[in-house]
């Protein structure tokens, strides 16, 4: 009887934890990579990354104060070498800024000379989470039959924030917003067969 009560208690605690997980993720903020696509386009390679970015209350307040939040999507292609360090053969590292204008009550995404306004944070985050058909810079000759190592991560770039906020970030985990570092091995895609990956 006592064993049955203990098992029921453990099961109840487990169910409560499962139900609370989405709320915990929202409270802390989160970045999750949902899918990746690498395609051969003419003489180039383009990458598409779909993520889910959730801001916590601390980051939302920073936006309201006029702080620009920069998010980086870094993709690297390495040629593994057993006798030395792996060689970086291709990469891309777009950095997109998210800001809020109190006068117009609009959010804005900024990438180089391009900008776009949104009436809600949800809309801005949805577009921010989608990097589509972004060209990859090739640093060295790419070979079609070589098995390359690919690395991908999306994170909030604290180095672009004002110094006082960088200092605050050292003592608070609320500012450390990053996806897991994804690594996989792959051969270069051909025009008719892009490489695709989807998370569970």
């Amino acid at each position: 009887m006592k064993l049955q009560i203990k098992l029921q208690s453990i099961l109840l605690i487990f169910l409560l934890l499962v139900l609370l997980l989405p709320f915990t993720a929202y409270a802390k903020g989160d970045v999750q990579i949902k899918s990746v696509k690498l395609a051969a386009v003419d003489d180039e390679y383009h990458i598409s990354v779909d993520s889910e970015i959730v801001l916590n209350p601390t980051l939302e307040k920073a936006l309201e104060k006029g702080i620009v939040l920069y998010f980086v999507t870094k993709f690297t292609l390495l040629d593994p070498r057993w006798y030395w360090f792996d060689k970086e053969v291709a990469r891309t590292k777009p950095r997109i800024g998210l800001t809020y204008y109190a006068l117009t009550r609009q959010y804005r995404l900024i990438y180089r000379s391009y900008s776009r306004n949104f009436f809600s944070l949800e809309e801005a985050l949805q577009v921010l989470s989608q990097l589509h058909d972004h060209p990859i810079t090739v640093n060295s000759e790419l070979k079609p039959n070589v098995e390359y190592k690919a690395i991908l991560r999306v994170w909030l770039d604290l180095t672009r924030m004002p110094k006082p906020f960088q200092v605050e970030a050292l003592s608070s985990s609320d500012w450390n917003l990053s996806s897991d570092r994804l690594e996989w091995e792959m051969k270069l895609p051909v025009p008719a067969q892009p490489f695709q990956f989807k998370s569970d």
Side-chain angles (χ1 to χ4, degrees):
M1 185 69 178
K2 290 183 179 180
L3 179 61
Q4 186 178 3
I5 293 173
K6 284 183 178 180
L7 288 174
Q8 288 176 346
S9 300
I10 292 171
L11 181 61
L12 181 61
I13 292 171
F14 175 77
L15 289 173
L16 285 172
L17 287 173
V18 170
L19 290 172
L20 288 173
L21 276 176
F23 300 99
T24 304
Y26 176 78
K28 292 184 177 180
D30 194 22
V31 179
Q32 291 186 2
I33 296 173
K34 298 295 185 180
S35 66
V36 182
K37 177 182 176 183
L38 186 64
V41 182
D42 297 329
D43 294 329
E44 296 183 329
Y45 293 95
H46 291 183
I47 190 169
S48 297
V49 180
D50 285 333
S51 307
E52 182 179 2
I53 299 175
V54 178
L55 302 186
N56 57 45
T58 299
L59 297 177
E60 290 185 10
K61 287 179 182 177
L63 273 178
E64 292 172 2
K65 292 178 181 178
I67 302 301
V68 183
L69 302 180
Y70 287 96
F71 285 85
V72 176
T73 301
K74 184 179 180 182
F75 173 77
T76 309
L77 209 59
L78 301 175
D79 184 4
R81 297 186 292 185
W82 63 269
Y83 59 89
W84 197 243
F85 296 109
D86 294 346
K87 181 181 179 182
E88 183 182 287
V89 293
R91 73 179 298 184
T92 187
K93 192 180 177 183
R95 181 182 286 105
I96 302 174
L98 170 64
T99 187
Y100 175 71
Y101 292 91
L103 289 176
T104 59
R105 295 184 178 181
Q106 289 185 327
Y107 295 87
R108 177 178 293 179
L109 293 179
I110 308 162
Y111 177 62
R112 296 181 178 175
S113 59
Y114 167 84
S115 65
R116 181 178 170 188
N117 294 333
F118 302 88
F119 288 104
S120 71
L121 178 59
E122 290 74 20
E123 289 178 297
L125 288 175
Q126 184 177 6
V127 175
L128 176 64
S129 301
Q130 300 172 347
L131 180 73
H132 288 172
D133 302 319
H134 192 82
I136 296 171
T137 302
V138 176
N139 303 324
S140 183
E141 181 185 1
L142 296 178
K143 302 172 184 178
N145 295 321
V146 172
E147 191 97 343
Y148 291 106
K149 179 180 178 182
I151 303 174
L152 176 66
R153 191 166 72 96
V154 181
W155 74 92
L156 173 64
D157 187 0
L158 299 177
T159 64
R160 290 300 183 101
M161 302 186 71
K163 292 296 182 183
F165 288 90
Q166 291 186 34
V167 173
E168 182 181 342
L170 293 174
S171 59
S172 174
S173 61
D174 289 345
W175 298 89
N176 297 323
L177 205 62
S178 174
S179 72
D180 292 333
R181 174 185 163 116
L182 297 185
E183 295 187 19
W184 67 92
E185 294 182 354
M186 61 172 289
K187 291 184 179 180
L188 293 173
V190 296
Q193 296 178 327
F195 169 85
Q196 297 188 70
F197 163 85
K198 288 187 178 181
S199 64
D200 297 332

